[in-house]
């Protein structure tokens, strides 16, 4: 493992906060192929600028160690002697919605600018006092950028746990795990050699008597690297049943989420979409109703996967390389990221783009719909292309 040399961490290197860094995987330029087809409510299209063939960046992955002048708070590591903040895993990306909400909650700023980048001078902010919790020894901090999001846990927390296991990192694991499934996740996938954990309260501040360690990635927009793919393979391969009789065509539904949150990204005619899929032999799957092992097994043995875009479709990382996947999206907001994810996992992906019910709304989380007759044509074309 080599020393860290790229510039986003210059300020920390000069100030002495960065104690050590090991490059676990180099960043590199990759070619992303376009989807097998792109279809909208208006019919088949000649692609979309966000998911056409493109050169994309595979992230550099770094294990960074900061000294005790740094502390974890919310979804950032803060350096207190000069009021600087590092946003780990998104060194050159825009702030996540979760971190914007966090900044709003602890500062006097009503509308923090979502275009802030990795180093932000917080001297213009006034933070409220927070409870400080001290942890003995070194800390490996792995809280996800979106602390409540299953998909982000798969892409960030799971590889971090695998990294801790691989390198036998002797440190207390600090992670937000406020939901029952998150604590079960840490039990299921946490390193076997280490039982020291602290469940992070996002409102508190955490300081280590030793060093604060974390995994830092340059911008990737969900493009998986070799290490990520090796992690997902190591987890999913043991679940693969070699007989074809286990293969299923599955449809990933968001109906449970829509019922629980009727004002958030609801596909208003999902029942009709599910009916079309069922008529063609698809099993309707609600991943959140399955255990972790059941989810892995369902996707590892899937003959093909179609579903409504969202966290449930991130389970496609457990699919075999070459599995056909079609994501049904309500907006083009996440087309590029989802294309990166599916392609970099080695999946044959297609895209169906629905439309917002309020065509003039800028909110990507609004209700949306799919033209069911066009969707049926697209699904039949999907099956034809892949010999299903």
């Amino acid at each position: 493992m080599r020393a860290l040399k790229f510039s986003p961490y210059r300020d920390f290197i000069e100030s002495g906060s960065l104690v050590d860094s090991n490059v676990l995987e180099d960043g590199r330029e990759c070619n992303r192929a376009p989807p097998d087809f792109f279809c909208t409510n208006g019919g088949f299209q000649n692609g979309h600028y966000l998911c056409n063939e493109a050169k994309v960046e595979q992230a550099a992955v770094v294990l960074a160690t900061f000294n005790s002048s740094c502390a974890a708070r919310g979804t950032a590591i803060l350096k207190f002697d000069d009021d600087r903040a590092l946003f780990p895993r998104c060194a050159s990306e825009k702030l996540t919605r979760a971190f914007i909400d966090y900044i709003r909650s602890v500062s006097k700023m009503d509308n923090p600018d979502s275009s802030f980048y990795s180093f932000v001078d917080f001297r213009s902010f006034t933070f409220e006092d927070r409870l400080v919790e001290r942890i003995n020894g070194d800390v490996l901090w792995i809280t996800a950028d979106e602390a409540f999001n299953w998909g982000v846990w798969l892409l960030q927390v799971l590889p971090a746990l695998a990294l801790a296991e691989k390198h036998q990192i002797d440190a207390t694991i600090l992670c937000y795990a406020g939901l029952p499934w998150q604590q079960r996740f840490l039990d299921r996938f946490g390193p076997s050699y280490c039982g020291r954990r602290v469940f992070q309260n996002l409102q508190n501040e955490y300081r280590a008597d030793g060093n604060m360690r974390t995994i830092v990635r340059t911008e990737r927009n969900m493009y998986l690297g070799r290490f990520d793919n090796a992690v997902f393979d190591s987890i999913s391969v043991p679940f693969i049943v070699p007989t074809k009789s286990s293969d299923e065509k599955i449809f990933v539904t968001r109906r449970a989420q829509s019922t629980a949150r009727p004002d958030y990204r609801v596909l208003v005619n999902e029942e009709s979409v599910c009916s079309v899929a069922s008529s063609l032999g698809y099993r309707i799957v609600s991943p959140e109703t399955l255990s972790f092992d059941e989810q892995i097994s369902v996707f590892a043995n899937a003959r093909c996967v179609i579903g409504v875009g969202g966290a449930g479709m991130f389970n496609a990382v457990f699919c075999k390389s070459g599995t056909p996947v079609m994501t049904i999206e309500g907006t083009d907001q996440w087309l590029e990221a989802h294309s990166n994810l599916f392609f970099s996992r080695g999946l044959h992906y297609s895209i169906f783009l629905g439309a917002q019910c309020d065509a003039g709304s800028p909110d990507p989380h609004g209700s949306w719909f799919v033209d069911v007759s066009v969707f049926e044509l697209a699904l039949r074309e999907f099956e034809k292309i892949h010999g299903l």
Side-chain angles (χ1 to χ4, degrees):
M1 295 188 288
R2 299 172 295 98
L4 177 68
K5 293 183 179 179
F6 46 89
S7 61
Y9 312 99
R10 182 187 64 247
D11 292 346
F12 279 82
I13 294 171
E14 291 175 354
S15 68
S17 296
L18 185 63
V19 176
D20 188 28
S21 58
N22 291 314
V23 178
L24 307 177
E25 185 169 358
D26 285 314
R28 62 191 180 98
E29 189 175 72
C30 303
N31 292 314
R32 186 195 68 223
D36 292 328
F37 69 76
F38 180 81
C39 188
T40 70
N41 284 346
F44 292 96
Q45 309 293 325
N46 293 322
H48 187 288
Y49 76 97
L50 288 173
C51 56
N52 288 339
E53 184 174 1
K55 292 187 180 299
V56 295
E57 291 295 325
Q58 176 187 296
V61 183
V62 177
L63 177 62
T65 302
F66 300 96
N67 64 29
S68 57
S69 71
C70 296
R73 182 193 279 177
T75 58
I77 282 185
L78 304 179
K79 181 177 182 297
F80 289 94
D81 56 0
D82 63 0
D83 297 319
R84 284 189 175 273
L86 167 71
F87 309 123
R89 291 173 298 276
C90 51
S92 58
E93 292 178 359
K94 294 181 179 180
L95 291 180
T96 63
R97 179 182 297 272
F99 192 75
I100 293 172
D101 291 342
Y102 167 73
I103 290 294
R104 185 180 294 117
S105 72
V106 299
S107 75
K108 291 183 177 179
M109 234 176 142
D110 292 329
N111 278 312
D113 183 352
S114 63
S115 64
F116 287 158
Y117 287 94
S118 57
F119 294 101
V120 176
D121 191 333
F122 280 106
R123 277 169 277 197
S124 61
F125 298 174
T126 302
F127 287 92
E128 302 170 8
D129 291 336
R130 293 294 178 194
L131 176 66
V132 176
E133 297 191 34
R134 293 193 175 274
I135 303 174
N136 293 329
D138 291 348
V139 169
L140 176 64
W141 179 68
I142 61 171
T143 292
D145 292 337
E146 295 182 45
F148 310 93
N149 188 303
W150 166 258
V152 180
W153 269 63
L154 287 181
L155 299 190
Q156 292 181 354
V157 177
L158 187 55
L161 293 171
L163 181 79
E165 178 78 49
K166 179 178 180 180
H167 294 284
Q168 298 285 292
I169 297 174
D170 184 19
T172 296
I173 291 176
L174 174 63
C175 183
Y176 172 82
L179 302 175
W181 69 261
Q182 294 175 321
Q183 296 179 25
R184 295 195 301 271
F185 190 103
L186 294 176
D187 288 338
R188 171 63 177 82
F189 300 109
S192 57
Y193 67 90
C194 178
R196 304 194 309 277
R197 298 179 195 160
V198 173
F199 295 146
Q200 181 185 357
N201 181 328
L202 295 178
Q203 299 303 316
N204 294 347
E205 178 183 303
Y206 294 82
R207 299 196 187 191
D209 291 341
N211 293 318
M212 184 75 69
R213 311 181 80 178
T214 191
I215 298 168
V216 183
R217 297 176 187 266
T218 52
E219 183 176 2
R220 63 170 174 170
N221 200 13
M222 295 191 187
Y223 196 96
L224 303 177
R226 294 182 295 274
F227 177 76
D228 298 315
N229 278 306
V231 170
F232 297 130
D233 284 342
S234 69
I235 292 171
S236 61
V237 167
F239 285 87
I240 296 175
V241 178
T243 59
K244 286 290 184 181
S245 60
S246 65
D247 291 359
E248 288 186 294
K249 301 190 298 183
I250 65 171
F251 180 97
V252 181
T253 178
R254 281 180 57 89
R255 288 182 295 188
Q257 294 93 322
S258 297
T259 299
R261 302 179 66 183
D263 59 346
Y264 182 77
R265 284 174 59 192
V266 174
L267 174 55
V268 295
N269 59 342
E270 186 172 353
E271 289 291 343
S272 298
V273 173
C274 287
S275 294
V276 170
S278 294
S279 70
L280 293 175
Y282 285 79
R283 172 189 171 190
I284 309 301
V285 173
S286 298
E288 67 276 9
T289 66
L290 306 175
S291 70
F292 297 138
D293 285 0
E294 287 171 336
Q295 290 183 62
I296 297 167
S297 180
V298 165
F299 283 84
N301 292 291
R303 188 178 177 192
C304 66
V305 177
I306 62 172
V308 183
M313 282 293 286
F314 281 52
N315 286 293
V317 296
F318 298 121
C319 288
K320 297 183 290 288
S321 179
T323 300
V325 172
M326 180 166 68
T327 181
I328 308 166
E329 305 282 335
T331 170
D332 64 8
Q333 179 84 11
W334 298 282
L335 285 187
E336 183 174 19
H338 292 173
S339 296
N340 286 344
L341 176 64
F342 297 136
F343 176 78
S344 62
R345 189 64 186 113
L347 307 177
H348 295 299
Y349 74 105
S350 298
I351 296 173
F352 189 99
L353 180 62
Q356 297 285 294
C357 295
D358 181 357
S361 173
D363 181 11
H365 300 290
S367 297
W368 57 289
F369 70 98
V370 162
D371 185 309
V372 176
S373 61
V374 178
F375 169 72
E376 182 172 357
L377 291 175
L379 184 51
R380 292 185 183 279
E381 179 65 16
F382 175 78
E383 296 216 320
K384 179 181 176 182
I385 289 173
H386 299 292
L388 301 170

